[in-house]
Short mmCIF file of all heavy atoms in Angstrom, two decimals:
data_model
loop_
_atom_site.label_atom_id
_atom_site.label_comp_id
_atom_site.label_asym_id
_atom_site.label_seq_id
_atom_site.Cartn_x
_atom_site.Cartn_y
_atom_site.Cartn_z
N LYS D 139 -59.08 21.17 -46.63
CA LYS D 139 -59.06 19.89 -45.91
C LYS D 139 -60.39 19.65 -45.22
O LYS D 139 -60.92 18.55 -45.20
CB LYS D 139 -57.95 19.91 -44.87
CG LYS D 139 -56.59 19.55 -45.46
CD LYS D 139 -55.49 19.84 -44.46
CE LYS D 139 -54.14 19.68 -45.12
NZ LYS D 139 -53.06 20.26 -44.32
N LYS D 140 -60.93 20.73 -44.65
CA LYS D 140 -62.21 20.60 -43.95
C LYS D 140 -63.30 20.12 -44.91
O LYS D 140 -64.12 19.28 -44.58
CB LYS D 140 -62.63 21.95 -43.37
CG LYS D 140 -62.06 22.18 -41.98
CD LYS D 140 -62.48 23.52 -41.45
CE LYS D 140 -61.49 23.95 -40.38
NZ LYS D 140 -61.59 25.38 -40.12
N THR D 143 -62.97 16.48 -45.59
CA THR D 143 -63.47 15.71 -44.46
C THR D 143 -64.99 15.67 -44.45
O THR D 143 -65.59 14.61 -44.26
CB THR D 143 -63.02 16.35 -43.14
OG1 THR D 143 -61.81 17.03 -43.36
CG2 THR D 143 -62.88 15.32 -42.07
N LEU D 144 -65.57 16.82 -44.65
CA LEU D 144 -67.03 16.89 -44.65
C LEU D 144 -67.62 15.95 -45.69
O LEU D 144 -68.52 15.16 -45.41
CB LEU D 144 -67.48 18.32 -44.96
CG LEU D 144 -67.79 19.18 -43.75
CD1 LEU D 144 -68.07 20.60 -44.17
CD2 LEU D 144 -68.99 18.59 -43.04
N LEU D 146 -66.23 13.39 -47.04
CA LEU D 146 -65.99 12.00 -46.66
C LEU D 146 -67.02 11.52 -45.65
O LEU D 146 -67.60 10.44 -45.79
CB LEU D 146 -64.60 11.88 -46.05
CG LEU D 146 -63.59 11.13 -46.92
CD1 LEU D 146 -62.21 11.23 -46.29
CD2 LEU D 146 -64.01 9.69 -47.08
N GLU D 293 -99.70 5.80 0.94
CA GLU D 293 -99.76 6.88 -0.04
C GLU D 293 -99.67 6.31 -1.46
O GLU D 293 -98.90 5.39 -1.71
CB GLU D 293 -98.61 7.86 0.21
CG GLU D 293 -98.82 9.20 -0.47
CD GLU D 293 -97.65 10.14 -0.19
OE1 GLU D 293 -97.21 10.20 0.97
OE2 GLU D 293 -97.19 10.79 -1.14
N VAL D 295 -98.53 6.15 -5.19
CA VAL D 295 -97.40 6.61 -5.98
C VAL D 295 -97.80 6.57 -7.46
O VAL D 295 -98.05 5.50 -8.01
CB VAL D 295 -96.15 5.73 -5.75
CG1 VAL D 295 -95.02 6.16 -6.66
CG2 VAL D 295 -95.73 5.82 -4.29
N ARG D 299 -95.99 8.33 -18.02
CA ARG D 299 -95.01 8.41 -19.11
C ARG D 299 -94.58 9.85 -19.31
O ARG D 299 -95.17 10.78 -18.79
CB ARG D 299 -95.66 7.86 -20.38
CG ARG D 299 -95.89 6.35 -20.33
CD ARG D 299 -94.61 5.57 -20.42
NE ARG D 299 -93.88 5.90 -21.65
CZ ARG D 299 -94.14 5.35 -22.84
NH1 ARG D 299 -95.06 4.44 -22.94
NH2 ARG D 299 -93.45 5.70 -23.90
N GLU D 300 -93.54 10.02 -20.11
CA GLU D 300 -93.04 11.37 -20.38
C GLU D 300 -94.04 12.15 -21.21
O GLU D 300 -94.90 11.57 -21.87
CB GLU D 300 -91.68 11.29 -21.08
CG GLU D 300 -91.70 10.94 -22.55
CD GLU D 300 -91.93 9.48 -22.79
OE1 GLU D 300 -92.32 8.75 -21.86
OE2 GLU D 300 -91.73 9.05 -23.95
N ALA D 301 -93.90 13.48 -21.18
CA ALA D 301 -94.92 14.36 -21.73
C ALA D 301 -95.28 14.06 -23.18
O ALA D 301 -96.42 14.25 -23.60
CB ALA D 301 -94.45 15.80 -21.60
N ALA D 302 -94.33 13.58 -23.97
CA ALA D 302 -94.59 13.44 -25.39
C ALA D 302 -95.18 12.09 -25.76
O ALA D 302 -95.47 11.83 -26.92
CB ALA D 302 -93.29 13.66 -26.16
N SER D 303 -95.39 11.22 -24.76
CA SER D 303 -95.83 9.87 -25.05
C SER D 303 -97.27 9.81 -25.56
O SER D 303 -98.16 10.49 -25.05
CB SER D 303 -95.69 9.03 -23.79
OG SER D 303 -96.60 7.96 -23.80
N ASP D 317 -102.81 17.63 -18.49
CA ASP D 317 -101.98 18.66 -17.83
C ASP D 317 -102.28 18.81 -16.33
O ASP D 317 -101.86 19.76 -15.72
CB ASP D 317 -102.15 20.03 -18.49
CG ASP D 317 -101.72 20.02 -19.95
OD1 ASP D 317 -100.91 19.15 -20.29
OD2 ASP D 317 -102.22 20.85 -20.71
N TYR D 321 -97.59 13.49 -11.32
CA TYR D 321 -96.77 12.29 -11.37
C TYR D 321 -95.65 12.30 -10.34
O TYR D 321 -95.06 13.33 -10.05
CB TYR D 321 -96.14 12.14 -12.75
CG TYR D 321 -97.14 11.85 -13.83
CD1 TYR D 321 -97.45 12.79 -14.79
CD2 TYR D 321 -97.77 10.61 -13.87
CE1 TYR D 321 -98.37 12.51 -15.78
CE2 TYR D 321 -98.69 10.33 -14.85
CZ TYR D 321 -98.99 11.28 -15.81
OH TYR D 321 -99.90 11.01 -16.78
N ARG D 322 -95.36 11.12 -9.80
CA ARG D 322 -94.17 10.95 -8.97
C ARG D 322 -92.99 10.53 -9.86
O ARG D 322 -91.86 10.89 -9.64
CB ARG D 322 -94.43 9.87 -7.90
CG ARG D 322 -93.26 9.61 -6.97
CD ARG D 322 -92.95 10.84 -6.14
NE ARG D 322 -91.86 10.63 -5.19
CZ ARG D 322 -90.58 10.56 -5.52
NH1 ARG D 322 -90.23 10.66 -6.77
NH2 ARG D 322 -89.65 10.38 -4.61
N GLN D 323 -93.29 9.74 -10.87
CA GLN D 323 -92.25 9.32 -11.82
C GLN D 323 -92.78 9.44 -13.24
O GLN D 323 -93.91 9.05 -13.52
CB GLN D 323 -91.86 7.85 -11.60
CG GLN D 323 -91.07 7.57 -10.37
CD GLN D 323 -90.43 6.19 -10.42
OE1 GLN D 323 -89.82 5.80 -11.40
NE2 GLN D 323 -90.58 5.44 -9.35
N GLU D 324 -91.96 9.98 -14.12
CA GLU D 324 -92.30 10.00 -15.55
C GLU D 324 -91.26 9.16 -16.26
O GLU D 324 -90.13 9.58 -16.45
CB GLU D 324 -92.26 11.44 -16.09
CG GLU D 324 -93.42 12.28 -15.65
CD GLU D 324 -93.32 13.71 -16.20
OE1 GLU D 324 -92.76 13.90 -17.28
OE2 GLU D 324 -93.80 14.61 -15.51
N THR D 326 -89.76 6.61 -19.45
CA THR D 326 -89.72 6.82 -20.90
C THR D 326 -90.08 5.58 -21.71
O THR D 326 -90.01 5.61 -22.92
CB THR D 326 -88.33 7.27 -21.34
OG1 THR D 326 -87.38 6.41 -20.74
CG2 THR D 326 -88.07 8.69 -20.93
N ASP D 330 -90.29 0.26 -18.54
CA ASP D 330 -89.88 0.92 -17.30
C ASP D 330 -91.07 1.11 -16.36
O ASP D 330 -90.95 0.94 -15.15
CB ASP D 330 -89.24 2.28 -17.60
CG ASP D 330 -87.83 2.14 -18.14
OD1 ASP D 330 -87.32 1.00 -18.15
OD2 ASP D 330 -87.24 3.15 -18.55
N THR D 333 -91.85 -2.23 -14.79
CA THR D 333 -90.86 -2.58 -13.78
C THR D 333 -91.05 -1.76 -12.52
O THR D 333 -91.03 -2.30 -11.41
CB THR D 333 -89.44 -2.34 -14.33
OG1 THR D 333 -89.35 -2.93 -15.61
CG2 THR D 333 -88.40 -2.96 -13.41
N GLN D 337 -92.13 -3.08 -8.66
CA GLN D 337 -91.20 -2.96 -7.54
C GLN D 337 -91.80 -2.22 -6.35
O GLN D 337 -91.20 -2.19 -5.29
CB GLN D 337 -89.94 -2.20 -7.99
CG GLN D 337 -89.06 -2.98 -8.94
CD GLN D 337 -88.57 -4.27 -8.33
OE1 GLN D 337 -88.12 -4.29 -7.19
NE2 GLN D 337 -88.67 -5.35 -9.07
N ASN D 338 -92.93 -1.56 -6.54
CA ASN D 338 -93.46 -0.72 -5.47
C ASN D 338 -94.92 -1.09 -5.19
O ASN D 338 -95.78 -0.91 -6.03
CB ASN D 338 -93.37 0.75 -5.89
CG ASN D 338 -93.69 1.70 -4.75
OD1 ASN D 338 -94.44 1.35 -3.83
ND2 ASN D 338 -93.12 2.88 -4.80
N PRO D 339 -95.21 -1.61 -3.97
CA PRO D 339 -96.57 -2.09 -3.67
C PRO D 339 -97.63 -0.98 -3.70
O PRO D 339 -98.81 -1.27 -3.78
CB PRO D 339 -96.44 -2.69 -2.27
CG PRO D 339 -95.16 -2.18 -1.72
CD PRO D 339 -94.27 -1.87 -2.88
N LEU S 199 -55.69 12.08 -43.11
CA LEU S 199 -57.09 12.02 -43.46
C LEU S 199 -57.91 11.44 -42.29
O LEU S 199 -58.95 11.98 -41.91
CB LEU S 199 -57.27 11.13 -44.70
CG LEU S 199 -58.52 11.39 -45.50
CD1 LEU S 199 -58.40 12.72 -46.20
CD2 LEU S 199 -58.72 10.27 -46.52
N LEU S 202 -58.22 13.84 -39.60
CA LEU S 202 -59.14 14.91 -39.93
C LEU S 202 -60.60 14.47 -39.78
O LEU S 202 -61.47 15.29 -39.49
CB LEU S 202 -58.90 15.40 -41.36
CG LEU S 202 -57.67 16.29 -41.51
CD1 LEU S 202 -57.44 16.62 -42.97
CD2 LEU S 202 -57.82 17.56 -40.71
N VAL S 203 -60.87 13.18 -39.97
CA VAL S 203 -62.24 12.68 -39.79
C VAL S 203 -62.70 12.97 -38.37
O VAL S 203 -63.81 13.47 -38.14
CB VAL S 203 -62.32 11.17 -40.08
CG1 VAL S 203 -63.66 10.62 -39.66
CG2 VAL S 203 -62.09 10.91 -41.56
N LEU S 210 -68.40 19.24 -36.82
CA LEU S 210 -69.76 19.06 -37.33
C LEU S 210 -70.77 19.13 -36.18
O LEU S 210 -71.78 19.83 -36.26
CB LEU S 210 -69.84 17.70 -38.02
CG LEU S 210 -70.84 17.60 -39.17
CD1 LEU S 210 -70.30 18.40 -40.34
CD2 LEU S 210 -71.03 16.15 -39.57
N ALA S 241 -97.81 21.14 -22.63
CA ALA S 241 -99.04 21.80 -22.23
C ALA S 241 -99.56 22.69 -23.36
O ALA S 241 -98.87 22.97 -24.33
CB ALA S 241 -98.79 22.64 -20.98
N ALA S 242 -100.82 23.12 -23.18
CA ALA S 242 -101.41 24.01 -24.17
C ALA S 242 -100.63 25.32 -24.25
O ALA S 242 -100.43 25.88 -25.32
CB ALA S 242 -102.86 24.28 -23.81
N MET S 309 -82.79 0.39 -10.33
CA MET S 309 -84.24 0.36 -10.34
C MET S 309 -84.78 -0.82 -9.52
O MET S 309 -85.80 -0.71 -8.85
CB MET S 309 -84.69 0.20 -11.79
CG MET S 309 -86.05 0.72 -12.10
SD MET S 309 -86.23 0.66 -13.90
CE MET S 309 -87.81 1.42 -14.04
N LEU S 310 -84.10 -1.95 -9.60
CA LEU S 310 -84.60 -3.16 -8.95
C LEU S 310 -84.15 -3.30 -7.50
O LEU S 310 -84.81 -3.94 -6.71
CB LEU S 310 -84.15 -4.40 -9.73
CG LEU S 310 -84.72 -4.52 -11.15
CD1 LEU S 310 -84.16 -5.73 -11.85
CD2 LEU S 310 -86.23 -4.58 -11.11
N PRO S 314 -86.19 0.41 -4.47
CA PRO S 314 -87.00 -0.20 -3.40
C PRO S 314 -86.30 -0.12 -2.05
O PRO S 314 -86.95 0.07 -1.01
CB PRO S 314 -87.15 -1.66 -3.84
CG PRO S 314 -86.88 -1.66 -5.30
CD PRO S 314 -85.90 -0.57 -5.54
N ARG S 317 -86.75 3.27 -0.56
CA ARG S 317 -88.14 3.39 -0.11
C ARG S 317 -88.33 2.76 1.26
O ARG S 317 -88.98 3.33 2.14
CB ARG S 317 -89.06 2.72 -1.13
CG ARG S 317 -90.52 2.83 -0.82
CD ARG S 317 -91.34 2.27 -1.95
NE ARG S 317 -91.12 0.84 -2.14
CZ ARG S 317 -91.73 -0.10 -1.42
NH1 ARG S 317 -92.58 0.24 -0.49
NH2 ARG S 317 -91.48 -1.36 -1.63
N PRO S 323 -92.92 6.97 0.27
CA PRO S 323 -93.77 6.21 -0.66
C PRO S 323 -93.01 5.69 -1.88
O PRO S 323 -93.31 4.63 -2.40
CB PRO S 323 -94.83 7.22 -1.10
CG PRO S 323 -94.74 8.36 -0.18
CD PRO S 323 -93.42 8.34 0.48
N ASP S 324 -92.01 6.46 -2.36
CA ASP S 324 -91.30 6.01 -3.55
C ASP S 324 -89.83 6.38 -3.44
O ASP S 324 -89.48 7.47 -3.03
CB ASP S 324 -91.92 6.67 -4.79
CG ASP S 324 -91.36 6.06 -6.07
OD1 ASP S 324 -91.18 4.82 -6.09
OD2 ASP S 324 -91.10 6.80 -7.01
N SER S 326 -87.46 6.46 -5.88
CA SER S 326 -86.73 7.06 -7.00
C SER S 326 -86.60 8.56 -6.78
O SER S 326 -87.49 9.19 -6.24
CB SER S 326 -87.47 6.80 -8.30
OG SER S 326 -88.72 7.43 -8.25
N MET S 404 -81.71 8.18 -15.80
CA MET S 404 -83.10 8.25 -16.23
C MET S 404 -83.93 7.16 -15.56
O MET S 404 -85.11 7.36 -15.27
CB MET S 404 -83.16 8.08 -17.75
CG MET S 404 -84.50 8.32 -18.33
SD MET S 404 -84.34 9.10 -19.92
CE MET S 404 -84.17 7.72 -20.98
N GLY S 408 -86.74 9.19 -11.43
CA GLY S 408 -88.16 9.55 -11.44
C GLY S 408 -88.54 10.41 -12.62
O GLY S 408 -89.63 10.32 -13.13
N ASN S 409 -87.62 11.32 -13.03
CA ASN S 409 -87.77 12.00 -14.31
C ASN S 409 -88.92 12.99 -14.39
O ASN S 409 -89.47 13.22 -15.46
CB ASN S 409 -87.92 10.94 -15.41
CG ASN S 409 -87.26 11.37 -16.69
OD1 ASN S 409 -86.42 12.26 -16.67
ND2 ASN S 409 -87.65 10.78 -17.78
N VAL S 410 -89.33 13.58 -13.28
CA VAL S 410 -90.35 14.63 -13.31
C VAL S 410 -89.62 15.97 -13.14
O VAL S 410 -88.75 16.08 -12.29
CB VAL S 410 -91.38 14.45 -12.18
CG1 VAL S 410 -92.41 15.54 -12.21
CG2 VAL S 410 -92.04 13.09 -12.29
N PHE S 417 -85.24 13.66 -1.87
CA PHE S 417 -86.15 12.55 -2.15
C PHE S 417 -87.14 12.90 -3.25
O PHE S 417 -88.09 12.17 -3.49
CB PHE S 417 -86.89 12.14 -0.88
CG PHE S 417 -85.98 11.57 0.17
CD1 PHE S 417 -85.78 12.22 1.36
CD2 PHE S 417 -85.30 10.39 -0.08
CE1 PHE S 417 -84.92 11.70 2.31
CE2 PHE S 417 -84.44 9.86 0.86
CZ PHE S 417 -84.24 10.52 2.07
N SER S 419 -88.56 13.54 -7.03
CA SER S 419 -88.37 13.03 -8.37
C SER S 419 -87.82 14.17 -9.23
O SER S 419 -88.39 15.25 -9.27
CB SER S 419 -89.73 12.58 -8.88
OG SER S 419 -89.64 12.06 -10.15
N ARG S 421 -85.33 15.66 -12.84
CA ARG S 421 -84.89 15.41 -14.21
C ARG S 421 -83.58 16.16 -14.46
O ARG S 421 -83.47 17.33 -14.13
CB ARG S 421 -85.96 15.89 -15.19
CG ARG S 421 -85.77 15.34 -16.58
CD ARG S 421 -86.80 15.87 -17.53
NE ARG S 421 -88.11 15.28 -17.35
CZ ARG S 421 -89.15 15.56 -18.15
NH1 ARG S 421 -89.02 16.41 -19.13
NH2 ARG S 421 -90.31 14.99 -17.95
N SER S 429 -85.47 12.06 -22.82
CA SER S 429 -86.82 11.56 -22.60
C SER S 429 -87.84 12.16 -23.56
O SER S 429 -88.90 11.59 -23.76
CB SER S 429 -87.25 11.79 -21.16
OG SER S 429 -87.32 13.16 -20.90
N TYR S 433 -90.17 11.87 -29.56
CA TYR S 433 -91.48 12.21 -30.07
C TYR S 433 -91.60 13.67 -30.53
O TYR S 433 -92.58 14.06 -31.10
CB TYR S 433 -92.55 12.07 -28.99
CG TYR S 433 -92.64 10.72 -28.36
CD1 TYR S 433 -91.81 10.36 -27.33
CD2 TYR S 433 -93.61 9.82 -28.80
CE1 TYR S 433 -91.90 9.12 -26.74
CE2 TYR S 433 -93.71 8.59 -28.20
CZ TYR S 433 -92.87 8.25 -27.17
OH TYR S 433 -92.99 7.04 -26.58
N ARG S 439 -90.61 22.99 -29.62
CA ARG S 439 -90.36 21.99 -28.62
C ARG S 439 -89.08 21.21 -28.91
O ARG S 439 -88.27 20.96 -28.03
CB ARG S 439 -91.54 21.05 -28.65
CG ARG S 439 -91.58 20.16 -27.49
CD ARG S 439 -92.97 19.65 -27.37
NE ARG S 439 -92.93 18.44 -26.61
CZ ARG S 439 -93.89 17.55 -26.65
NH1 ARG S 439 -94.93 17.74 -27.43
NH2 ARG S 439 -93.83 16.49 -25.92
#
Side-chain angles (χ1 to χ4, degrees):
Chain D
K139 277 169 188 166
K140 272 179 203 163
T143 332
L144 264 174
L146 250 173
E293 197 180 316
V295 175
R299 290 289 302 278
E300 77 282 14
S303 154
D317 299 336
Y321 292 110
R322 180 64 178 74
Q323 288 195 48
E324 287 179 29
T326 48
D330 284 354
T333 312
Q337 290 300 314
N338 190 332
Chain S
L199 203 70
L202 284 175
V203 170
L210 210 71
M309 205 171 184
L310 296 177
R317 183 174 64 82
D324 189 39
S326 64
M404 187 144 87
N409 215 19
V410 179
F417 294 114
S419 181
R421 196 183 286 184
S429 64
Y433 303 83
R439 193 160 159 201

